[in-house]
Each structure stands twice: as C-alpha cells, then as structure tokens.
Amino acid sequence: MLDPSPEGRRARRETPLTAAEPVLLRHDAEGIATLVLNRPAARNALSLALMNALQDALDAIREDDSVRVVVLKAAGPAFCAGHDLREMRADSSPETTDHLFRTCARLMTSLVRLPKPVIAQVHGIATAAGCQLVASCDLAICTEEARFATPGVQIGLFCSTPMVALTRAVPRKAAMEMLLLGEPVDAAEALRIGLVNRVVPADRLDASVADMAGRIAAKARKVLAVGKEAFARQGEMTLDEAYAYTAQVMTRNMAMADAQEGIDAFLQKRAPVWEG
C-alpha cells in the first residue's frame, strides 16, 4: 500500500535517486546482517526495484550460515512511506499492479519464513506497506518520534495487503481501528498494541537494536531456525494440533547436538559451545 499522508505526498514530489545508487545496502558483522533501505529522498518507498533487491538479499541470507540475525533499517528521515505511487501511476495496468502486489506478498512472506530472526529498526514514519514491513518482522524497536499508519482508506484504497501482516501482529480491534480510520498512531500506542517491542530515544536506537541483535546472535543458529518456524506454524493451528506439532518439534530439537550441548553446559555450569 502507498502512503497518502502529507509526508508520503512530499516524498513522491521529491527527485528520486539515480539508477546508479543502490536502493539497498547490506553490512555484516558478528553474525548480524544489517539491511538498509536506501531511497531516502523518497522516504524509502517500496519501488519494485527496492522490493526485488530486498528479496534477493533475504534469499542470499537464507543460505548464509554465518548470519544469525537480520536487522532491517532505513536511511534518511523515515523508515518507509509505503509503495511508490509515482511508479504505480506510471503503469497502472491490472497486470503490472498484480505483479507489484504479488512481489510484495512474496517479500513479506519471506520475512516471516526466513529461518533467522528479523528486527525492524524504525524511525520517522512507517506507513501503509511500510507499516506492513514492520508487522512482518519478528521484532521491532522504534524511536519515540516514530509514527505508524495504514492510511489507504483516506484515498479510497483500503490497506488490504498491509492488513494481512497487521492482523497477525496486533489485536483484532486495534488493527481495525488503524485500518478504518487511517490515522497515524504514535510510538507509545504502537507499543501498547504490540506492533513494536520497545520504544527508545532516537540517540539510543542503534545501541538498543545492536544489543538485542547481539544477544539473539549468541544463541544457536539451528535452534533459532527451529523456533521461528514452529512459532509461525503453530499460530495457524487449533490448540490440539499446535500441541501435537510442537511436541514433535521439541522431540526433534532434543536430538540436536546443540540441545545436548546446551543441557550439558547448564548442568556443568559453563558456557555452551554451539555447533554452528
């Protein structure tokens, strides 16, 4: 979804980045892959090129055993202002529009199914598909000034695709209020409804995300993958199905070398040495 707010409209009036400038940056350190949305002049609107670049990065990270955690952040004054309206209006044929939203759906699904935890590092606005991006990540930390919205209803285009991620991240009535009003919620409200995990001062955002990412990265990579997959799958099951499934997951997990090492380390009062 696009963002019809004043910030989003201003972003669409600004000159886009040159084709030579990468729309996505990646930095790796100590098991943490940081992906940076890099269309600051457009408030990091999700152009097709940016979505494809992000998808390619996630596909590469999926196969990269050196990565334990992913941080998704953005350059410039905002996290993400939604889809690129200028691009959408340039070719609004049903075929092109369908391709764009299918690309977006695959991207959001990849975030959920990536076998590595993903932390959204949010500042400024995260609206429409930008809010969807935050809701699709496993964890989110934002600044006190951050704002979130699904504003499509204000221009006659209901945020139906962002709704998929939003309704899986926050309570039903909170999601409907955001979707029906289309008005921004502040960081405190985003925290209250569970859209974000923590709200921090702007000058503490980098350090807070790095601390959380580092503590997660210290865990066993294979165990994190098992847990993330199980978390997503059990949420779509009935209570009896979920317990039957997770019992099987824990049985398989118990047979893993990392589980045996972790239990032995606990009993022997030492730090565990993970397999990989």
Side-chain angles (χ1 to χ4, degrees), residues 22 30 34 46 82 106 126 133 149 153 156 167-168 181 192 194 220 224 226 245 252-254 259 274:
E30 299 179 346
T34 300
L46 291 179
R106 180 179 174 227
L133 201 57
V153 69
T167 56
R168 285 160 170 77
L181 293 180
R192 188 188 71 81
L224 292 175
V226 167
Y245 163 67
R252 293 196 303 270
N253 192 170
M254 184 65 186
W274 305 125

Side-chain angles (χ1 to χ4, degrees), residues 100-151:
L100 184 144
F101 285 114
R102 286 182 183 274
T103 299
C104 183
R106 180 179 174 227
L107 172 61
M108 302 300 171
T109 302
S110 293
L111 285 167
V112 175
R113 294 180 178 165
L114 187 74
K116 334 258 181 168
V118 183
I119 304 172
Q121 178 174 324
V122 186
H123 70 286
I125 58 169
T127 55
C131 186
Q132 180 184 8
L133 201 57
V134 175
S136 297
C137 292
D138 301 298
L139 302 168
I141 299 179
C142 74
T143 65
E144 296 167 333
E145 298 76 23
R147 296 294 182 269
F148 305 83
T150 49

Side-chain angles (χ1 to χ4, degrees), residues 170-249:
V170 307
R172 182 183 181 91
K173 285 183 170 56
M176 280 300 288
E177 182 172 341
M178 290 184 66
L179 291 161
L180 293 174
L181 293 180
E183 298 170 356
V185 300
D186 61 20
E189 178 66 3
L191 178 64
R192 188 188 71 81
I193 64 178
L195 182 56
V196 302
N197 298 87
R198 299 180 186 177
V199 179
V200 300
D203 62 0
R204 291 290 302 158
L205 183 60
D206 286 337
S208 297
V209 172
D211 176 68
M212 179 178 282
R215 286 190 283 148
I216 295 172
K219 310 298 189 294
R221 173 181 55 82
K222 293 179 181 178
V223 175
L224 292 175
V226 167
K228 178 170 175 176
E229 180 184 14
F231 183 87
R233 291 188 60 184
Q234 64 81 28
E236 300 173 354
M237 299 176 180
T238 66
L239 185 64
D240 290 340
E241 291 170 342
Y243 272 117
Y245 163 67
T246 52
Q248 294 174 357
V249 172

Side-chain angles (χ1 to χ4, degrees), residues 45-61:
L46 291 179
S47 63
L48 189 60
L50 178 53
M51 288 192 290
N52 284 334
L54 189 50
Q55 182 67 61
D56 289 345
L58 294 177
D59 290 344
I61 287 170

